[in-house]
Amino acid sequence: MSGMIIQGKTGDWEVICGLEIHCQILSKSKIFSGASTHYGSEVNENVSFIDAGMPGMLPTLNEECVSQAVKTGLGLNAKINNYSAFARKNYFYADLPQGYQITQFQYPIVGEGFVKIELENGETKDIGIERLHIEQDAGKSIHDISPTKSFIDLNRAGVGLMEIVTKPDFRSPEEAGAFLRKLRSIVRYLGTCDGNMDEGSMRCDVNVSVRKVGEDGFRTRNEMKNVNSVKFVMQAIEFEARRHVEVYESGGQIEQETRQFNPTTCTTKAMRKKEYAHDYRYFPEPDLPPLVLSDEYINNIKNDMVELPDAKKERFVKELGLTPYDASVICENKEVAEFFEKAASGHDAKKVANWLMGDFFAMLNEKKITLAESPISAENLGALVELVSKNVINGKTAKDVFAIMAATGEAPEKIVEEKGLKQVTDVGAIEKVVDEILANNQANVEAYKAGKTNLIGWFVGQVMKASQGKANPEVVNKLLKQKLG
Amino acid sequence: MSIDANTVKKIAFLSHLKIEDDKVAATQEEFNKILQWVDQLKEVDTDNVEPLVSVNNEHLRLRQDEVTEGNQAEAVLANAPVKEYGYFVVPKVVE
Amino acid sequence: MMTDLTELTIAEASAGLKKKEFTAVELTEAYIANMDKHRNLNAYVCETPDKAIAQAKISQEKINSGQGGDLEGIPLGIKDLFCTKGIATTACSNILKGFVPPYESTVTANLLQAGANFLGKLNLDEFAMGGSNETSAFGPVINPWSKDVPLVPGGSSGGSAAAVAANMCAAATGTDTGGSIRQPAAFCGVTGIKPTYGRCSRYGIIAFASSLDQAGPIAKDVTDCAIMLKAMAGFDNKDSTSSQQPVPDFCKVLGADIKGMRIGIPKEYRVDGLNSEIASYWDKAAAMLKDKGAEIVEISLPHTKYALAVYYIIAPAEASSNLARYDGLRYGNRVDGEHLDDMYTNSRTAGFGKEVKRRIMIGTYVLSAGYYDAYYLKAQKVRRLIRDDFIKAFEKCDVILTPTAPSAAFAIGDESMQKDPITMWLNDIFTVSVSLAGLPAMSLPIGLNHDGLPLGMQIIGKSFDEENVFKAGYCLEQQAGFKRK
């Protein structure tokens, strides 16, 4: 049970949460026009007359946006609809040039599906997907240039979006966080969205309500729009759920409203209510006939799908012997998984995983670099593990070699060779050192024999030091125990 | 169906059109007349009739993902009543 | 030497140009002179004589070298609903005052490609919403047939019909949403055809009701309509509702034998109180076709009486959304306000005329929460029944013959029309069901009423069967021998 329980004065409350995620579709041109989707161009440079809502302009649908949505739908284990249709959502806003958004309403391109999430306690949970539909993004209003004016840039207007709606299946902030990370991983694997929440290419609306444990049905929910990081989503759920409990317990009622999450204060506040503002008057888009996809079209995409994180994870557990937790951490990021697979090839995969998740990630963090910029190649990481497995060097030496690799990018074999770091496994040579240490430290030998057996570590250390770290620690340990009785 | 003054105001709001208070009653009356007239549709039995969205029988065609337009900010902005620094400019948006 | 070149039809003028009887510049100048002479009719809202002459010169060179398209050197008038690159386009609304499109509509581009030159932009009802041209921000057009009292030319393509009737252009473009080509053609004693929905691209035509709007020609006779439509029509990948059906050479069927052609007469069109002169012309027209070997069959279109109500739900609904883009932000007339919403409301309130506002509000209402099913959805269902009526009727006939309008042209400012919008809307009674079904239909003059005003007959064809419409229309034209103004 991973659900979050809020202990109130009147009893225990559970959190109910659903997410709506807008993912910008990766495509060269916009969903309904031939203008570029390039991020960071000059103001209003990537704008067609269609995007600007000029009189008489008509939309035409980008094939890539359709196939990307189908791919994503398949990645969400969802039903792809052979028939879908576009609708207009009518509202006035400065960055919505047509005065309506072309979206899908009654007939989305993707229906129900699910995403499996892994929780830290090792449990998994299926989060239901309600639907995925495609639509156009709005432009950008810039409010902070002038106190009396707003500035409008339409470069983003018309970029394709996938809106993914989950079922209200989340029972804790942790679950929502795990889902978002998983979703981001899936779209990145598929190459359908870059998943960057801080750049706004993935944006999240959060719906939260609470109910008494054991209560049926749902209470009124509040929506928080455009929460732009996984951490903020989790904080927003937590704050909002606690607020609801407080309101109910002090005799109040929750009103359905849209609220804004403030990341600085970690609180939410109601947005200005506009009377009737939410009557969107959806109706079928008369400029676009229905979208009909053949089974063949869908199957072609299906046959072309890359291996998704879940399948990869399962394979890593089954074939490479990773623990489910390690496998899911490694598989969250496609590049990491690929790096790992390359590094582990022909070597002890579990040990490679340990190195990867330990020293290797620490090294990247410390250097503040990405995986692609790593000085240590996958092959070299694998080779280092191999040197340890074959007892060429011991674990401690390996750490030193790793540090040199991180600094120079050299192959571990070369480092070991050049620096003479091969470990001594010759029992006779080690025995000589052991004997010397025991002879020089009679007092401690006596103490050990009198029962202070934890001195063994000290003896090991002395031997290692004397051998400049090259002695095989296992052999050292064994000999010491023999000789100390 | 008939509509009240409040509905007239709501429709004007949604349409972004101003109706002076002294015109609300007249508009309401005119609307009710029109709605009464279209109410004749109620006579038609439309059970099991699919709505006809379009007379077009062809399916939606898909366009190749190619950049074919853009780099025309000047033309896009040419008709703008107010523009500055390459942006369209409007009075402050109240959130 | 010809007395007046503007009397010539396109077919005649083209022949004359080829035979070098006169030049394209002379032809164009003759029309320009007529535009000056009849400026009181208020048919043009923007005149481009210099451009027309310049184009005519280019045409003449082509003619001299034996090249040129089907409309080489022919001067046309363009309804001011078609966006014309570099030429002000207003939809005859104050909200688009000063708007100069940076693009060309597909239909006008096709006409230019065929060698035509444009004399200017023609008056219409604001955003094509009206049946009398009285809602234009540029004031009403006067019907050239007016005697003592100025009469309306019909609408919305009133400027187009009047300009053709008064020889102020060789032919004109029109658009038809519920009768906007056919009714003004009938009122002005000229010929017009609304082709099948999807025949002409809507790209660059300012949208009124997207599922109904179709462009078509208004011309001096059936032959000219055939020449014009062939040039205007054709598949356009910029309009997703544009049809891929090949465009036949309509001229080829003109004069073909109509023996055995089945002419449907819908009994429901003989409405109570149908004007007796119109009823008798209807009978005469049927007799004329019968004389030439056609078979007259009675058909039934049982849902005819509901067509107007369906139309006045669907068209305003789509219009309310299509006209949302006129907000004073990116183009057109802006009336400032303190905040963005004030600016929107001020601009729209000042920019739209009364009839447009009425339709925006009706459309908004029928789409709004709680009313969608009762009005919009219901209307779409009845629309299907209306279309199915035609499909069934066409099992028994090849074309359908009806009057175009329930009356001849009425006086500008007619009190009963002004008092009650529904009375004005009833003018569309014979034309709207055809629009709802998306079928091709032609109006051609059949004779004069007791006041000496022209009356029109409508010939309706099957979907994409304009050829039979032209065939029957040409035959009726020959039989009726109507003398143009």
Side-chain angles (χ1 to χ4, degrees):
Chain A
M1 175 73 197
S2 64
M4 172 185 179
I5 299 296
I6 298 173
Q7 279 155 354
K9 290 182 297 224
T10 60
D12 288 352
W13 298 80
E14 67 174 333
V15 182
I16 312 288
C17 169
L19 301 177
E20 288 167 28
I21 304 104
H22 288 89
C23 296
Q24 258 182 18
I25 301 172
L26 283 175
S27 61
K28 293 200 274 282
S29 64
K30 294 183 177 179
I31 183 166
F32 298 122
S33 86
S36 167
T37 57
H38 185 254
Y39 181 78
S41 297
E42 288 288 303
V43 180
N44 284 316
E45 216 36 88
N46 299 333
V47 181
S48 77
F49 301 131
I50 299 163
D51 307 323
M54 300 286 245
M57 291 296 96
L58 298 171
T60 54
L61 182 59
N62 183 346
E63 195 276 336
E64 182 70 5
C65 293
V66 173
S67 64
Q68 293 285 58
V70 170
K71 240 185 232 178
T72 308
L74 293 170
L76 303 177
N77 307 299
K79 183 183 180 310
I80 309 300
N81 292 322
N82 294 97
Y83 176 97
S84 69
F86 290 92
R88 291 188 187 173
K89 178 181 183 180
N90 294 285
Y91 64 99
F92 283 87
Y93 202 72
D95 49 26
L96 188 73
Q98 298 159 142
Y100 54 83
Q101 180 194 33
I102 305 177
T103 179
Q104 296 187 306
F105 186 55
Q106 207 179 350
Y107 303 102
I109 186 165
V110 175
E112 290 186 324
F114 68 90
V115 169
K116 196 181 279 300
I117 57 169
E118 289 84 18
L119 300 161
E120 266 168 48
N121 62 9
E123 284 178 20
T124 63
K125 179 174 175 176
D126 285 350
I127 300 298
I129 299 293
E130 181 70 38
R131 59 187 277 161
L132 174 156
H133 65 255
I134 49 180
E135 60 189 20
Q136 54 184 170
D137 206 345
K140 259 196 172 117
S141 302
I142 298 148
H143 305 303
D144 49 11
I145 299 179
S146 152
T148 54
K149 295 182 279 190
S150 292
F151 290 70
I152 316 297
D153 175 12
L154 298 179
N155 277 347
R156 209 182 62 187
V159 170
L161 291 178
M162 300 179 280
E163 179 173 334
I164 297 163
V165 183
T166 76
K167 299 200 184 262
D169 283 353
F170 303 105
R171 294 292 175 272
S172 71
E174 187 208 348
E175 291 178 5
F179 173 83
L180 281 174
R181 284 193 300 271
K182 185 63 174 282
L183 177 65
R184 191 166 58 189
S185 162
I186 291 170
V187 294
R188 282 176 174 170
Y189 263 71
L190 293 169
T192 57
C193 170
D194 69 22
N196 294 332
M197 289 187 85
D198 46 353
E199 279 176 20
S201 45
M202 194 165 142
R203 308 192 285 271
C204 191
D205 299 343
V206 185
N207 287 296
V208 174
S209 66
V210 297
R211 68 179 171 198
K212 281 276 182 73
V213 170
E215 191 175 292
D216 280 335
F218 297 120
R219 298 197 183 198
T220 307
R221 65 195 159 96
N222 283 160
E223 185 180 31
M224 285 153 288
K225 289 229 180 251
N226 281 333
V227 188
N228 63 0
S229 85
V230 175
K231 195 173 104 193
F232 295 157
V233 167
M234 294 169 68
Q235 287 170 344
I237 296 168
E238 167 117 34
F239 172 84
E240 193 57 16
R242 291 193 186 280
R243 191 183 70 83
H244 282 214
V245 170
E246 243 169 67
V247 169
Y248 286 128
E249 294 203 327
S250 57
Q253 282 301 315
I254 294 292
E255 248 187 277
Q256 183 144 9
E257 63 187 358
T258 303
R259 299 175 70 85
Q260 201 159 28
F261 176 71
N262 181 338
T264 330
T265 57
C266 282
T267 55
T268 68
K269 73 164 202 279
M271 289 169 77
R272 199 175 72 102
K273 258 177 259 167
K274 284 189 193 167
E275 222 183 336
Y276 329 118
H278 294 299
D279 194 338
Y280 290 125
R281 291 156 284 134
Y282 285 97
F283 76 104
E285 165 58 283
D287 287 333
L288 294 167
L291 175 61
V292 177
L293 302 178
S294 66
D295 288 337
E296 191 196 354
Y297 178 89
I298 297 165
N299 284 331
N300 282 344
I301 293 177
K302 203 180 268 175
N303 296 335
D304 238 20
M305 290 278 281
V306 296
E307 185 182 37
L308 284 170
D310 280 347
K312 213 181 260 297
K313 179 194 153 192
E314 209 182 303
R315 187 162 60 82
F316 285 180
V317 170
K318 268 195 188 144
E319 294 176 12
L320 304 178
L322 261 51
T323 64
Y325 178 75
D326 286 359
S328 69
V329 171
I330 285 173
C331 290
E332 184 173 327
N333 182 305
K334 189 183 179 190
E335 285 70 37
V336 169
E338 280 167 359
F339 186 94
F340 164 76
E341 242 190 313
K342 217 189 246 180
S345 166
H347 312 302
D348 184 333
K350 269 174 96 165
K351 286 200 174 122
V352 171
N354 287 339
W355 272 96
L356 187 75
M357 293 164 66
D359 296 67
F360 185 83
F361 282 167
M363 181 268 300
L364 294 184
N365 273 338
E366 197 189 317
K367 289 183 184 271
K368 295 193 172 66
I369 55 173
T370 64
L371 179 67
E373 296 162 327
S374 165
I376 300 174
S377 69
E379 289 82 357
N380 282 346
L381 185 65
L384 178 67
V385 172
E386 192 64 22
L387 290 176
V388 181
S389 302
K390 290 205 169 132
N391 283 330
V392 178
I393 55 173
N394 61 41
K396 191 181 165 298
T397 308
K399 299 240 177 203
D400 298 337
V401 173
F402 182 87
I404 297 168
M405 289 165 74
T408 65
E410 282 174 348
E413 297 93 335
K414 189 171 167 242
I415 297 166
V416 168
E417 193 61 42
E418 282 177 7
K419 305 222 182 250
L421 298 175
K422 272 192 191 158
Q423 77 177 340
V424 180
T425 42
D426 172 357
V427 177
I430 296 174
E431 195 168 9
K432 227 171 100 189
V433 182
V434 168
D435 287 343
E436 216 171 287
I437 295 292
L438 292 179
N440 292 341
N441 294 285
Q442 275 305 313
N444 279 341
V445 174
E446 293 307 320
Y448 180 92
K449 288 189 171 162
K452 228 177 154 189
T453 50
N454 58 359
L455 273 170
I456 187 80
W458 182 84
F459 280 112
V460 172
Q462 292 302 307
V463 175
M464 295 304 287
K465 205 168 154 189
S467 72
Q468 286 154 330
K470 288 188 275 186
N472 182 317
E474 261 174 68
V475 179
V476 174
N477 213 23
K478 207 167 133 199
L479 285 172
L480 277 169
K481 280 194 174 156
Q482 261 172 28
K483 293 184 186 269
L484 287 166
Chain B
M1 252 180 256
S2 73
I3 67 174
D4 55 19
N6 199 38
T7 309
V8 171
K9 286 182 189 163
K10 173 187 160 177
I11 296 162
F13 171 87
L14 287 172
S15 310
H16 278 69
L17 293 171
K18 205 183 300 171
I19 292 194
E20 301 301 339
D21 284 344
D22 59 345
K23 296 274 166 55
V24 170
T27 309
Q28 184 187 342
E29 192 189 344
E30 184 185 283
F31 267 47
N32 278 326
K33 248 168 105 179
I34 293 167
L35 292 173
Q36 243 167 44
W37 174 67
V38 299
D39 269 347
Q40 57 175 300
L41 293 185
K42 283 188 181 150
E43 305 163 19
V44 187
D45 178 5
T46 52
D47 290 351
N48 306 315
V49 177
E50 275 293 304
L52 181 68
V53 177
S54 167
V55 293
N56 190 306
N57 287 323
E58 295 171 33
H59 293 155
L60 187 52
R61 290 180 296 272
L62 301 177
R63 166 175 60 80
Q64 287 289 310
D65 183 26
E66 286 164 355
V67 177
T68 53
E69 292 166 278
N71 294 318
Q72 49 177 8
E74 210 177 306
V76 166
L77 289 156
N79 283 285
V82 187
K83 56 198 160 189
E84 266 177 73
Y85 318 118
Y87 293 92
F88 296 98
V89 179
V90 293
K92 196 83 178 170
V93 178
V94 190
E95 290 293 336
Chain C
M1 183 68 197
M2 293 287 307
T3 44
D4 186 357
L5 297 178
T6 65
E7 293 280 346
L8 301 177
T9 64
I10 293 174
E12 290 161 354
S14 289
L17 285 169
K18 275 198 192 104
K19 285 190 233 156
K20 312 275 165 70
E21 286 168 8
F22 47 86
T23 67
V25 174
E26 285 166 354
L27 180 67
T28 306
E29 280 171 345
Y31 277 110
I32 293 168
N34 244 4
M35 286 162 70
D36 283 342
K37 195 169 132 199
H38 295 302
R39 191 158 286 128
N40 66 310
L41 298 182
N42 199 27
Y44 280 90
V45 296
C46 169
E47 300 182 4
T48 55
D50 298 344
K51 272 197 157 123
I53 296 282
Q55 284 170 300
K57 282 180 181 160
I58 297 168
S59 287
Q60 190 57 47
E61 279 170 30
K62 286 191 180 162
I63 293 166
N64 290 346
S65 62
Q67 296 172 322
D70 289 350
L71 291 169
E72 204 62 61
I74 302 297
L76 302 178
I78 303 300
K79 187 179 186 180
D80 202 22
L81 203 61
F82 292 79
C83 289
T84 40
K85 191 174 180 175
I87 300 168
T89 301
T90 66
C92 288
S93 178
N94 282 323
I95 208 154
L96 271 174
K97 262 206 174 131
F99 173 65
V100 180
Y103 45 86
E104 187 79 34
S105 84
T106 297
V107 164
T108 49
N110 288 347
L111 290 170
L112 290 171
Q113 183 66 34
N117 63 63
F118 297 163
L119 296 163
K121 304 300 285 288
L122 294 162
N123 207 338
L124 65 139
D125 279 296
E126 183 179 6
F127 282 102
M129 296 180 195
S132 66
N133 220 300
E134 292 169 290
T135 71
S136 165
F138 293 91
V141 175
I142 296 170
N143 189 324
W145 291 81
S146 305
K147 286 165 187 154
D148 320 327
V149 187
L151 303 176
V152 302
S156 68
S157 311
S160 303
V164 172
N167 292 331
M168 297 164 82
C169 56
T173 61
T175 62
D176 192 316
T177 304
S180 279
I181 286 174
R182 293 160 283 162
Q183 184 252 27
F187 278 16
C188 292
V190 291
T191 306
I193 180 165
K194 176 198 96 73
T196 310
Y197 184 84
R199 256 302 181 215
C200 290
S201 168
R202 293 185 297 112
Y203 179 85
I205 300 174
I206 295 176
F208 161 15
S210 310
S211 78
L212 297 159
D213 295 345
Q214 254 302 289
I218 293 179
K220 292 174 182 175
D221 62 11
V222 174
T223 308
D224 282 8
C225 277
I227 298 168
M228 282 287 286
L229 183 59
K230 186 175 173 248
M232 293 166 72
F235 170 65
D236 179 14
N237 60 17
K238 294 205 283 276
D239 173 3
S240 298
T241 63
S242 159
S243 170
Q244 308 207 56
Q245 293 264 357
V247 180
D249 185 351
F250 304 116
C251 290
K252 284 203 172 132
V253 300
L254 303 178
D257 195 351
I258 64 156
K259 201 169 196 163
M261 189 185 236
R262 296 165 305 164
I263 313 287
I265 306 290
K267 59 180 185 197
E268 289 82 4
Y269 278 53
R270 213 166 277 276
V271 287
D272 287 343
L274 176 64
N275 177 303
S276 62
E277 279 178 304
I278 290 174
S280 106
Y281 268 120
W282 190 9
D283 294 339
K284 269 187 219 164
M288 287 173 192
L289 292 170
K290 196 176 174 193
D291 273 357
K292 298 306 274 179
E295 183 192 332
I296 306 300
V297 288
E298 190 187 71
I299 55 159
S300 174
L301 299 167
H303 294 91
T304 297
K305 67 177 279 209
Y306 303 108
L308 272 172
V310 169
Y311 177 82
Y312 278 97
I313 290 170
I314 289 176
E318 292 181 10
S320 71
S321 176
N322 282 333
L323 269 58
R325 64 185 61 198
Y326 305 103
D327 56 12
L329 200 162
R330 294 163 311 282
Y331 44 78
N333 195 40
R334 174 184 296 192
V335 179
D336 253 314
E338 195 186 344
H339 299 302
L340 179 72
D341 279 331
D342 307 329
M343 183 205 89
Y344 281 163
T345 305
N346 294 344
S347 299
R348 291 167 62 80
T349 304
F352 291 132
K354 194 176 169 191
E355 180 68 16
V356 171
K357 283 182 195 160
R358 176 185 290 140
R359 297 203 196 182
I360 289 175
M361 289 184 56
I362 291 168
T364 301
Y365 177 72
V366 298
L367 290 176
S368 66
Y371 306 106
Y372 182 90
D373 287 3
Y375 291 112
Y376 186 75
L377 197 66
K378 181 81 182 181
Q380 281 188 321
K381 289 179 176 177
V382 182
R383 185 177 182 183
R384 181 175 295 279
L385 296 175
I386 289 167
R387 192 197 62 161
D388 291 352
D389 281 354
F390 277 107
I391 291 173
K392 227 172 135 195
F394 276 123
E395 289 169 4
K396 284 172 65 181
C397 65
D398 302 306
V399 294
I400 295 169
L401 179 73
T402 79
T404 307
S407 74
F410 46 85
I412 291 175
D414 181 287
E415 224 173 285
S416 65
M417 299 284 179
Q418 298 300 319
K419 216 173 68 197
D420 181 2
I422 297 171
T423 312
M424 180 73 89
W425 296 352
L426 290 173
N427 277 303
D428 299 333
I429 189 157
F430 298 135
T431 47
V432 281
S433 50
V434 177
S435 296
L436 291 168
L439 302 173
M442 172 186 283
S443 174
L444 70 161
I446 188 74
L448 301 177
N449 73 357
H450 65 281
D451 288 328
L453 296 178
L455 297 172
M457 279 294 134
Q458 174 175 238
I459 298 170
I460 307 164
K462 294 177 194 168
S463 194
F464 294 103
D465 185 19
E466 285 85 358
E467 283 171 292
N468 267 321
V469 174
F470 275 113
K471 208 162 126 182
Y474 186 82
C475 180
L476 188 57
E477 182 181 57
Q478 300 301 310
Q479 295 299 301
F482 180 81
K483 197 178 168 311
R484 272 185 293 122
K485 173 109 186 123

